[in-house]
Amino acid sequence: MHKLIQNEMLKLIAKKRLIVIAIIIGVLVMLFTYAQYKQIQTQREKLGTSDWRTILQQQIVDTTNRLSSSRISDEWKKQLQISLQQQQYYLEHDINPSEPGAPTFMRIFLENSIDLFIPLMVMVIASDLVSSEHSLGTVKLLLTRPVKRWKILLSKYITLCLAVSLIIAIAGILSYGISGLVFGYKGWGAPILTGFSVTDTGLNTSEVRLLSLWKFLLMDFGLVWFVAIVVGTLSFMLSVLIRSTAAGMGVMLAALISGAILNNMVSSWKSAKFFFMVNLRLTDYMKGNAPPIEGMTLSFSLLTLLVWWAAALMVSFMVFTKRDVY
């Protein structure tokens, strides 16, 4: 098995897609670092201070003013009310929610990449693992080896899991290394609050607890990795079912983009909570953001994604081991 995995990794490296993905991540991190730096500079010039309490107080004022507008929808108003309560909670407990430093930037980058950017990078790898064998005509040669089909597919899937882990690691290393040049590399022990939950009456703070940022980041990385594995497995299934890499990537791309749109539109469509793409933003539960559909919890989203993962993996192996190759 290890030789099969080694062979698949060599083929993956030869395609240089991991290098391209690393370059894309690096460029985007530089853009986001610059945008974050300009935002901080603008706030300092506007308020005439770099004190986080003054900045947070101004954010509370801005949020309150936006809530008074009659043009915003009820769903967006609820989101703003929850955000306002969180800001007030941080201010009352004298905790900076945006401690400057590379660790904070890394957390924000991961939280904003979990539902679209990271899955897209994973999809580029996963959608090609099996379908490329058909398009290149090497699938017959592959299956003529004295190795069972399920072992061949398992080696490809293990390679995918290794590639996903590598992509997450690259995202973490580059976001920390590049942003640290601007914001500094300190802040691992900065305090951050988690445990916020949203109820019918608003924000519930009864289970809020204080964590060091490095512990919070470990949980964030774990959730991002889990989402990437689920999306990678679904893309892997499409690579088995659809022999065209472009078609498989198109289907998954459409699903991911529709998920980003649905998150802002499905509050009254209760059954949409069973779609995998509506459950991708697991880090929102860590921050205490309102779920896209009332009643959704971290446990529910994890279980839903786990079911999608198991179903996709089962379909992949059943189809690959039984389908005729021509």
Side-chain angles (χ1 to χ4, degrees), residues 263-287:
N263 273 328
N264 298 318
M265 300 175 61
V266 295
S267 59
S268 58
W269 184 11
K270 300 298 182 182
S271 57
K273 64 184 179 181
F274 296 107
F275 293 155
F276 80 90
M277 53 274 200
V278 178
N279 291 275
L280 294 181
R281 292 196 65 88
L282 297 181
T283 51
D284 280 359
Y285 297 109
M286 297 284 294
K287 297 189 296 181

mmCIF file of all heavy atoms in Angstrom, residues 263-287:
data_model
loop_
_atom_site.group_PDB
_atom_site.id
_atom_site.type_symbol
_atom_site.label_atom_id
_atom_site.label_comp_id
_atom_site.label_asym_id
_atom_site.label_seq_id
_atom_site.Cartn_x
_atom_site.Cartn_y
_atom_site.Cartn_z
ATOM 1 N N ASN A 263 -26.469 30.754 2.129
ATOM 2 C CA ASN A 263 -26.267 31.125 3.534
ATOM 3 C C ASN A 263 -26.942 32.440 3.891
ATOM 4 O O ASN A 263 -27.270 32.690 5.054
ATOM 5 C CB ASN A 263 -24.774 31.218 3.851
ATOM 6 C CG ASN A 263 -24.197 29.881 4.249
ATOM 7 O OD1 ASN A 263 -24.878 29.058 4.847
ATOM 8 N ND2 ASN A 263 -22.954 29.644 3.895
ATOM 9 N N ASN A 264 -27.132 33.307 2.900
ATOM 10 C CA ASN A 264 -27.754 34.606 3.144
ATOM 11 C C ASN A 264 -29.234 34.635 2.763
ATOM 12 O O ASN A 264 -29.870 35.677 2.890
ATOM 13 C CB ASN A 264 -27.015 35.689 2.338
ATOM 14 C CG ASN A 264 -25.569 35.813 2.747
ATOM 15 O OD1 ASN A 264 -25.246 35.780 3.929
ATOM 16 N ND2 ASN A 264 -24.675 35.950 1.771
ATOM 17 N N MET A 265 -29.772 33.484 2.297
ATOM 18 C CA MET A 265 -31.129 33.515 1.769
ATOM 19 C C MET A 265 -32.038 32.398 2.276
ATOM 20 O O MET A 265 -33.221 32.377 1.942
ATOM 21 C CB MET A 265 -31.079 33.421 0.226
ATOM 22 C CG MET A 265 -30.317 34.536 -0.437
ATOM 23 S SD MET A 265 -30.158 34.287 -2.224
ATOM 24 C CE MET A 265 -31.868 34.274 -2.742
ATOM 25 N N VAL A 266 -31.522 31.454 3.073
ATOM 26 C CA VAL A 266 -32.308 30.254 3.376
ATOM 27 C C VAL A 266 -32.889 30.243 4.788
ATOM 28 O O VAL A 266 -33.270 29.193 5.291
ATOM 29 C CB VAL A 266 -31.439 28.981 3.196
ATOM 30 C CG1 VAL A 266 -31.033 28.806 1.763
ATOM 31 C CG2 VAL A 266 -30.218 29.024 4.112
ATOM 32 N N SER A 267 -32.975 31.383 5.436
ATOM 33 C CA SER A 267 -33.425 31.402 6.820
ATOM 34 C C SER A 267 -34.818 30.796 7.011
ATOM 35 O O SER A 267 -35.131 30.235 8.063
ATOM 36 C CB SER A 267 -33.412 32.835 7.355
ATOM 37 O OG SER A 267 -34.253 33.657 6.565
ATOM 38 N N SER A 268 -35.677 30.904 6.004
ATOM 39 C CA SER A 268 -37.040 30.368 6.111
ATOM 40 C C SER A 268 -37.196 29.014 5.419
ATOM 41 O O SER A 268 -38.279 28.428 5.451
ATOM 42 C CB SER A 268 -38.028 31.362 5.491
ATOM 43 O OG SER A 268 -37.714 31.623 4.141
ATOM 44 N N TRP A 269 -36.134 28.507 4.792
ATOM 45 C CA TRP A 269 -36.190 27.205 4.116
ATOM 46 C C TRP A 269 -35.534 26.182 5.041
ATOM 47 O O TRP A 269 -34.354 25.919 4.965
ATOM 48 C CB TRP A 269 -35.474 27.291 2.772
ATOM 49 C CG TRP A 269 -35.564 26.046 1.958
ATOM 50 C CD1 TRP A 269 -36.370 24.961 2.191
ATOM 51 C CD2 TRP A 269 -34.785 25.714 0.792
ATOM 52 N NE1 TRP A 269 -36.160 23.990 1.240
ATOM 53 C CE2 TRP A 269 -35.202 24.423 0.364
ATOM 54 C CE3 TRP A 269 -33.807 26.383 0.055
ATOM 55 C CZ2 TRP A 269 -34.660 23.791 -0.739
ATOM 56 C CZ3 TRP A 269 -33.268 25.767 -1.051
ATOM 57 C CH2 TRP A 269 -33.692 24.495 -1.450
ATOM 58 N N LYS A 270 -36.325 25.600 5.913
ATOM 59 C CA LYS A 270 -35.807 24.751 6.979
ATOM 60 C C LYS A 270 -35.058 23.525 6.466
ATOM 61 O O LYS A 270 -34.027 23.139 7.020
ATOM 62 C CB LYS A 270 -36.959 24.305 7.894
ATOM 63 C CG LYS A 270 -37.716 25.447 8.565
ATOM 64 C CD LYS A 270 -36.826 26.262 9.472
ATOM 65 C CE LYS A 270 -37.602 27.377 10.168
ATOM 66 N NZ LYS A 270 -36.735 28.207 11.030
ATOM 67 N N SER A 271 -35.569 22.890 5.418
ATOM 68 C CA SER A 271 -34.956 21.654 4.941
ATOM 69 C C SER A 271 -33.597 21.885 4.284
ATOM 70 O O SER A 271 -32.830 20.934 4.083
ATOM 71 C CB SER A 271 -35.891 20.950 3.951
ATOM 72 O OG SER A 271 -36.217 21.801 2.868
ATOM 73 N N ALA A 272 -33.265 23.142 3.969
ATOM 74 C CA ALA A 272 -31.971 23.442 3.347
ATOM 75 C C ALA A 272 -30.809 23.188 4.305
ATOM 76 O O ALA A 272 -29.659 23.112 3.866
ATOM 77 C CB ALA A 272 -31.940 24.890 2.868
ATOM 78 N N LYS A 273 -31.103 23.038 5.588
ATOM 79 C CA LYS A 273 -30.033 22.818 6.555
ATOM 80 C C LYS A 273 -29.355 21.456 6.373
ATOM 81 O O LYS A 273 -28.301 21.202 6.954
ATOM 82 C CB LYS A 273 -30.561 22.940 7.983
ATOM 83 C CG LYS A 273 -31.599 21.897 8.364
ATOM 84 C CD LYS A 273 -32.132 22.165 9.767
ATOM 85 C CE LYS A 273 -33.188 21.144 10.162
ATOM 86 N NZ LYS A 273 -33.735 21.422 11.524
ATOM 87 N N PHE A 274 -29.943 20.586 5.554
ATOM 88 C CA PHE A 274 -29.330 19.279 5.307
ATOM 89 C C PHE A 274 -28.377 19.302 4.112
ATOM 90 O O PHE A 274 -27.725 18.304 3.830
ATOM 91 C CB PHE A 274 -30.423 18.230 5.075
ATOM 92 C CG PHE A 274 -31.296 18.004 6.279
ATOM 93 C CD1 PHE A 274 -32.596 18.475 6.310
ATOM 94 C CD2 PHE A 274 -30.813 17.331 7.397
ATOM 95 C CE1 PHE A 274 -33.406 18.269 7.416
ATOM 96 C CE2 PHE A 274 -31.607 17.125 8.517
ATOM 97 C CZ PHE A 274 -32.906 17.594 8.524
ATOM 98 N N PHE A 275 -28.281 20.438 3.394
ATOM 99 C CA PHE A 275 -27.307 20.565 2.312
ATOM 100 C C PHE A 275 -25.921 20.730 2.923
ATOM 101 O O PHE A 275 -25.737 21.499 3.870
ATOM 102 C CB PHE A 275 -27.624 21.767 1.418
ATOM 103 C CG PHE A 275 -28.902 21.634 0.638
ATOM 104 C CD1 PHE A 275 -29.585 22.757 0.206
ATOM 105 C CD2 PHE A 275 -29.416 20.393 0.322
ATOM 106 C CE1 PHE A 275 -30.760 22.650 -0.524
ATOM 107 C CE2 PHE A 275 -30.591 20.264 -0.401
ATOM 108 C CZ PHE A 275 -31.260 21.395 -0.831
ATOM 109 N N PHE A 276 -24.949 20.051 2.357
ATOM 110 C CA PHE A 276 -23.602 20.125 2.934
ATOM 111 C C PHE A 276 -23.040 21.537 2.854
ATOM 112 O O PHE A 276 -22.349 21.997 3.769
ATOM 113 C CB PHE A 276 -22.665 19.130 2.230
ATOM 114 C CG PHE A 276 -22.117 19.587 0.912
ATOM 115 C CD1 PHE A 276 -20.921 20.279 0.840
ATOM 116 C CD2 PHE A 276 -22.806 19.335 -0.271
ATOM 117 C CE1 PHE A 276 -20.406 20.703 -0.382
ATOM 118 C CE2 PHE A 276 -22.298 19.750 -1.486
ATOM 119 C CZ PHE A 276 -21.100 20.433 -1.547
ATOM 120 N N MET A 277 -23.344 22.275 1.755
ATOM 121 C CA MET A 277 -22.719 23.584 1.569
ATOM 122 C C MET A 277 -23.255 24.631 2.544
ATOM 123 O O MET A 277 -22.621 25.660 2.765
ATOM 124 C CB MET A 277 -22.886 24.072 0.126
ATOM 125 C CG MET A 277 -24.283 24.074 -0.404
ATOM 126 S SD MET A 277 -24.732 22.472 -1.090
ATOM 127 C CE MET A 277 -26.106 22.913 -2.159
ATOM 128 N N VAL A 278 -24.417 24.385 3.149
ATOM 129 C CA VAL A 278 -24.975 25.319 4.134
ATOM 130 C C VAL A 278 -24.310 25.116 5.496
ATOM 131 O O VAL A 278 -24.373 25.984 6.364
ATOM 132 C CB VAL A 278 -26.511 25.145 4.233
ATOM 133 C CG1 VAL A 278 -27.112 26.062 5.288
ATOM 134 C CG2 VAL A 278 -27.155 25.417 2.874
ATOM 135 N N ASN A 279 -23.633 23.989 5.671
ATOM 136 C CA ASN A 279 -23.039 23.640 6.968
ATOM 137 C C ASN A 279 -21.525 23.822 7.017
ATOM 138 O O ASN A 279 -20.884 23.371 7.968
ATOM 139 C CB ASN A 279 -23.371 22.184 7.304
ATOM 140 C CG ASN A 279 -24.834 21.968 7.619
ATOM 141 O OD1 ASN A 279 -25.279 22.152 8.748
ATOM 142 N ND2 ASN A 279 -25.610 21.577 6.609
ATOM 143 N N LEU A 280 -20.942 24.466 6.014
ATOM 144 C CA LEU A 280 -19.482 24.535 5.942
ATOM 145 C C LEU A 280 -18.854 25.529 6.918
ATOM 146 O O LEU A 280 -17.710 25.338 7.336
ATOM 147 C CB LEU A 280 -19.053 24.882 4.512
ATOM 148 C CG LEU A 280 -19.360 23.831 3.432
ATOM 149 C CD1 LEU A 280 -18.847 24.302 2.072
ATOM 150 C CD2 LEU A 280 -18.755 22.479 3.782
ATOM 151 N N ARG A 281 -19.568 26.569 7.288
ATOM 152 C CA ARG A 281 -18.963 27.613 8.134
ATOM 153 C C ARG A 281 -18.999 27.205 9.617
ATOM 154 O O ARG A 281 -19.664 27.825 10.452
ATOM 155 C CB ARG A 281 -19.673 28.943 7.923
ATOM 156 C CG ARG A 281 -19.456 29.541 6.544
ATOM 157 C CD ARG A 281 -19.850 31.009 6.512
ATOM 158 N NE ARG A 281 -19.007 31.820 7.369
ATOM 159 C CZ ARG A 281 -17.863 32.375 7.014
ATOM 160 N NH1 ARG A 281 -17.391 32.190 5.788
ATOM 161 N NH2 ARG A 281 -17.165 33.092 7.852
ATOM 162 N N LEU A 282 -18.251 26.164 9.927
ATOM 163 C CA LEU A 282 -18.228 25.650 11.299
ATOM 164 C C LEU A 282 -17.599 26.632 12.278
ATOM 165 O O LEU A 282 -17.940 26.643 13.461
ATOM 166 C CB LEU A 282 -17.464 24.318 11.333
ATOM 167 C CG LEU A 282 -18.059 23.160 10.523
ATOM 168 C CD1 LEU A 282 -17.197 21.916 10.679
ATOM 169 C CD2 LEU A 282 -19.489 22.862 10.955
ATOM 170 N N THR A 283 -16.671 27.453 11.808
ATOM 171 C CA THR A 283 -16.005 28.395 12.704
ATOM 172 C C THR A 283 -16.956 29.484 13.200
ATOM 173 O O THR A 283 -16.670 30.138 14.204
ATOM 174 C CB THR A 283 -14.798 29.048 12.005
ATOM 175 O OG1 THR A 283 -15.216 29.584 10.734
ATOM 176 C CG2 THR A 283 -13.691 28.034 11.766
ATOM 177 N N ASP A 284 -18.080 29.685 12.505
ATOM 178 C CA ASP A 284 -19.054 30.676 12.968
ATOM 179 C C ASP A 284 -19.633 30.294 14.323
ATOM 180 O O ASP A 284 -19.977 31.163 15.123
ATOM 181 C CB ASP A 284 -20.194 30.818 11.951
ATOM 182 C CG ASP A 284 -19.812 31.712 10.778
ATOM 183 O OD1 ASP A 284 -18.675 32.226 10.778
ATOM 184 O OD2 ASP A 284 -20.633 31.883 9.862
ATOM 185 N N TYR A 285 -19.752 28.996 14.570
ATOM 186 C CA TYR A 285 -20.259 28.551 15.866
ATOM 187 C C TYR A 285 -19.275 28.892 16.976
ATOM 188 O O TYR A 285 -19.671 29.167 18.112
ATOM 189 C CB TYR A 285 -20.513 27.040 15.853
ATOM 190 C CG TYR A 285 -21.582 26.603 14.877
ATOM 191 C CD1 TYR A 285 -21.267 25.912 13.714
ATOM 192 C CD2 TYR A 285 -22.926 26.872 15.130
ATOM 193 C CE1 TYR A 285 -22.250 25.507 12.827
ATOM 194 C CE2 TYR A 285 -23.918 26.464 14.240
ATOM 195 C CZ TYR A 285 -23.568 25.783 13.095
ATOM 196 O OH TYR A 285 -24.545 25.389 12.218
ATOM 197 N N MET A 286 -17.983 28.862 16.655
ATOM 198 C CA MET A 286 -16.961 29.208 17.636
ATOM 199 C C MET A 286 -17.060 30.682 18.016
ATOM 200 O O MET A 286 -16.849 31.062 19.174
ATOM 201 C CB MET A 286 -15.573 28.922 17.070
ATOM 202 C CG MET A 286 -15.306 27.460 16.758
ATOM 203 S SD MET A 286 -14.985 26.505 18.230
ATOM 204 C CE MET A 286 -13.448 27.235 18.763
ATOM 205 N N LYS A 287 -17.390 31.516 17.028
ATOM 206 C CA LYS A 287 -17.481 32.960 17.271
ATOM 207 C C LYS A 287 -18.826 33.371 17.846
ATOM 208 O O LYS A 287 -18.974 34.483 18.346
ATOM 209 C CB LYS A 287 -17.241 33.719 15.966
ATOM 210 C CG LYS A 287 -15.861 33.526 15.376
ATOM 211 C CD LYS A 287 -15.622 34.466 14.213
ATOM 212 C CE LYS A 287 -16.561 34.187 13.065
ATOM 213 N NZ LYS A 287 -16.326 35.097 11.911
#
